[in-house]
Amino acid sequence: MKDTYLSELMQTVERRNAGEPEYLQAVREVLESFEPVVARRPDLVESGVIDRLCEPERMFIFRVPWMDDNGKTRINRGFRVQYNSAIGPYKGGLRFHPSVTASVIKFLGFEQTFKNSLTGLPMGGGKGGADFDPKAKSDGEVMRFCQSFMTELYRHIGADTDVPAGDIGVGAREVGYMYGQYKRITNEFTGVLTGKGLSYGGSLARPEATGYGLLYFTEAMLAAAGKSLKGARTVISGSGNVAVFACQKAQEFGAHVVAMSDSGGYVTDERGIDLSVLRPIKETERLRISEYAARVESAEYHEGCFNIWQVPCDVALPCATQNELDGRAAQTLAEHKCFAVAEGANMPCTPEAVDIFRKAGVLFAPGKASNAGGVATSGLEMTQNSARMSWSFAEVDEKLKTIMRNIYLSAAAAAKEYGCEGNLVAGANIAGFLKVAEAMKAQGCV
Ligand code: NDP
């Protein structure tokens, strides 16, 4: 970082958040893209907006005790960061995964603040979760965990204060159990969570939204470069909520999806991934992706998830988790003449990987812009809940399309305006930041 103010700020952030690598990685990436903003907007430096953005408004850490099926008491650690409320109530998902730490939750909350701003909807940034692993737990265990988690969380959230949703390990089942507990404690039926079931206030197209939105963004990015997904050999990591609907929409756009993964390994299928086989395996039977190869003759299973990027492709869509695509994988993708990488997950590409893509001329869509469709549709769910109405699938999908195209346009325009044309990482950071920054400045030193 060449700018003195920004590099001193980064040092302060490093001192204050020692031992939190994911958070520091996310802050550094954003600050690096702010050099042209700092040069042009000294007023934002003077009002301390950037300094304030590097510190969450507040964070809760709490014990989550629950009883397993054998009557044994288990303990997990729960988190909620209320990162920034300058432009609306805190909004962001809950992640249940053993890798969850304060650092992971803070990085996600920080990114969420910019992402929510990019959607154009009035939502601040938040994130939460627990180091609980829903895998191999019975429904009863998951329910007791979710109820215990909400017994603490409920006092910090509210439809106009903080509205959590799903993320890794938190799908319709977990949201349902948490919503039930919230309602029981507060005696209120409000839109306090999004990603709810359709029968109790959920929005049509919310489950599909992150994956679909990723592809709407990718199509817009490719079209601007004179390319398209039609016939593009595509590799998608993960096989969860984002990956499955990314695959479905990619196939609708004419892409040939040849590989998908889970945390154990990946499958290749030269005839194209068959979602009618994959979805029940992952969604209802909750089995490993290796089962796909056992059921589909043209498929092969490969142990170990990280090697999925060795599969030659034109388009890569990392949709699993943070830092899953490193410099080595990026080098391989570039050598295989992959022409576009779009992040469905949050921060799946390491800084080294992003650098390699930039130098190799690979089109690159950063997650905080390209995966914003999920939270945008959560925003639409909040609107429907407040108005006590529900829109059709087509209405929500149409709004999602418009939002994703607008996010692409505003990231591309900000990149151009601030002298880094074609760099959507910088463009998304700057476009997302400016709205939050103007609001923070207007609201004074709070
Ligand atoms: P899910 O829990 O539904 O799915 C996660 C998937 O990733 C699973 O298939 C999991 O496999 C797999 N996975 C985990 N770690 C790895 C790894 N190291 N390599 C390969 N696969 C791995 O989560 P989501 O699909 O909801 O979320 C995926 C990503 O998208 C996250 O980064 C999340 O923050 C981001 N995101 C999600 C949004 C949403 O609306 N859901 C919105 C915006 C971003 P296994 O089954 O073995 O654990």
Side-chain angles (χ1 to χ4, degrees):
M1 237 175 283
K2 288 188 216 101
D3 181 85
T4 316
Y5 159 70
L6 289 172
S7 64
E8 283 176 8
L9 175 56
M10 190 64 221
Q11 282 166 23
T12 306
V13 175
E14 279 166 351
R15 243 192 336 270
R16 203 176 268 153
N17 302 280
E20 299 196 341
E22 295 85 0
Y23 181 60
L24 294 175
Q25 180 182 336
V27 174
R28 175 175 289 281
E29 184 238 272
V30 167
L31 293 189
E32 277 171 354
S33 61
F34 280 178
E35 301 214 348
V37 181
V38 167
R40 204 184 289 186
R41 293 291 306 268
D43 59 310
L44 296 180
V45 175
E46 273 154 33
S47 57
V49 166
I50 307 177
D51 305 62
R52 281 186 275 154
L53 260 172
C54 292
E55 186 66 19
E57 288 177 18
R58 67 183 73 81
M59 184 164 186
F60 309 103
I61 301 181
F62 49 97
R63 183 176 67 192
V64 189
W66 57 282
M67 206 167 269
D68 71 16
D69 286 345
N70 299 319
K72 186 169 181 294
T73 297
R74 306 275 203 110
I75 300 295
N76 285 98
R77 179 172 285 182
F79 301 88
R80 184 74 184 164
V81 67
Q82 297 185 332
Y83 205 97
N84 192 288
S85 61
I87 62 168
Y90 310 103
K91 178 89 197 88
L94 298 170
R95 175 177 292 191
F96 292 168
H97 193 270
S99 64
V100 164
T101 59
S103 169
V104 168
I105 296 301
K106 276 163 66 182
F107 119 65
L108 290 165
F110 179 74
E111 295 264 300
Q112 195 80 45
T113 301
F114 299 92
K115 182 186 306 189
N116 293 1
S117 163
L118 279 170
T119 66
L121 301 172
M123 300 181 290
K127 200 81 190 187
D131 59 355
F132 170 77
D133 190 356
K135 264 196 226 108
K137 302 283 190 307
S138 70
D139 279 354
E141 288 176 323
V142 171
M143 183 175 76
R144 290 191 292 280
F145 175 81
C146 288
Q147 290 176 339
S148 179
F149 183 83
M150 186 52 83
T151 300
E152 172 60 32
L153 187 68
Y154 90 94
R155 69 188 84 244
H156 307 298
I157 61 177
D160 294 317
T161 309
D162 183 356
V163 183
D167 190 73
I168 293 179
V170 178
R173 174 181 62 169
E174 291 76 13
V175 169
Y177 292 150
M178 286 190 276
Y179 190 73
Q181 183 71 353
Y182 180 87
K183 194 165 58 60
R184 180 160 71 164
I185 297 172
T186 61
N187 196 27
E188 265 182 21
F189 194 103
T190 61
V192 70
L193 288 168
T194 57
K196 300 186 288 299
L198 282 181
S199 56
Y200 61 96
S203 172
L204 283 161
R206 174 60 187 91
E208 292 83 355
T210 309
Y212 279 21
L214 171 67
L215 271 297
Y216 295 145
F217 188 99
T218 305
E219 262 293 285
M221 176 177 80
L222 292 182
K227 295 184 187 296
S228 106
L229 281 161
K230 206 157 182 52
R233 231 181 112 83
T234 300
V235 168
I236 302 177
S237 63
S239 47
N241 173 264
V242 178
V244 159
F245 290 109
C247 179
Q248 190 182 86
K249 191 50 81 178
Q251 290 174 337
E252 278 176 33
F253 276 127
H256 187 53
V257 181
V258 291
M260 290 182 76
S261 61
D262 64 16
S263 58
Y266 67 96
V267 288
T268 48
D269 186 351
E270 286 299 328
R271 291 175 61 180
I273 295 287
D274 183 346
L275 281 180
S276 70
V277 178
L278 184 84
R279 285 187 64 181
I281 292 174
K282 296 306 290 182
E283 290 172 6
T284 44
E285 299 170 52
R286 296 181 193 272
L287 296 173
R288 310 308 300 156
I289 203 163
S290 51
E291 187 59 24
Y292 179 89
R295 293 184 194 179
V296 176
E297 215 177 304
S298 52
E300 272 180 46
Y301 177 68
H302 309 261
E303 195 68 31
C305 54
F306 296 104
N307 284 336
I308 190 171
W309 309 115
Q310 307 289 322
V311 179
C313 64
D314 303 312
V315 173
L317 304 175
C319 295
T321 194
Q322 65 270 9
N323 294 328
E324 52 158 314
L325 197 167
D326 62 8
R328 190 179 66 94
Q331 196 59 50
T332 308
L333 284 168
E335 280 161 16
H336 286 160
K337 303 271 179 274
C338 167
F339 60 73
V341 177
E343 295 185 325
N346 285 311
M347 208 168 75
C349 300
T350 63
E352 197 192 350
V354 178
D355 209 42
I356 289 168
F357 294 142
R358 197 173 303 137
K359 288 182 181 140
V362 177
L363 297 169
F364 179 72
K368 66 168 75 71
S370 53
N371 73 28
V375 74
T377 308
S378 279
L380 302 177
E381 183 174 330
M382 289 163 74
T383 307
Q384 292 169 81
N385 291 165
S386 305
R388 303 267 192 271
M389 64 184 295
S390 46
W391 295 325
S392 69
F393 189 99
E395 276 175 289
V396 180
D397 193 33
E398 203 44 49
K399 289 183 193 342
L400 171 65
K401 256 183 227 163
T402 307
I403 290 171
M404 295 313 296
R405 287 197 195 114
N406 287 343
I407 293 175
Y408 169 74
L409 292 174
S410 58
K416 190 169 178 197
E417 189 184 338
Y418 282 83
C420 36
E421 188 166 3
N423 181 347
L424 293 177
V425 175
N429 287 342
I430 295 170
F433 164 72
L434 286 174
K435 181 175 171 192
V436 177
E438 298 296 358
M440 287 175 78
K441 193 178 158 208
Q443 290 167 25
C445 180
V446 291

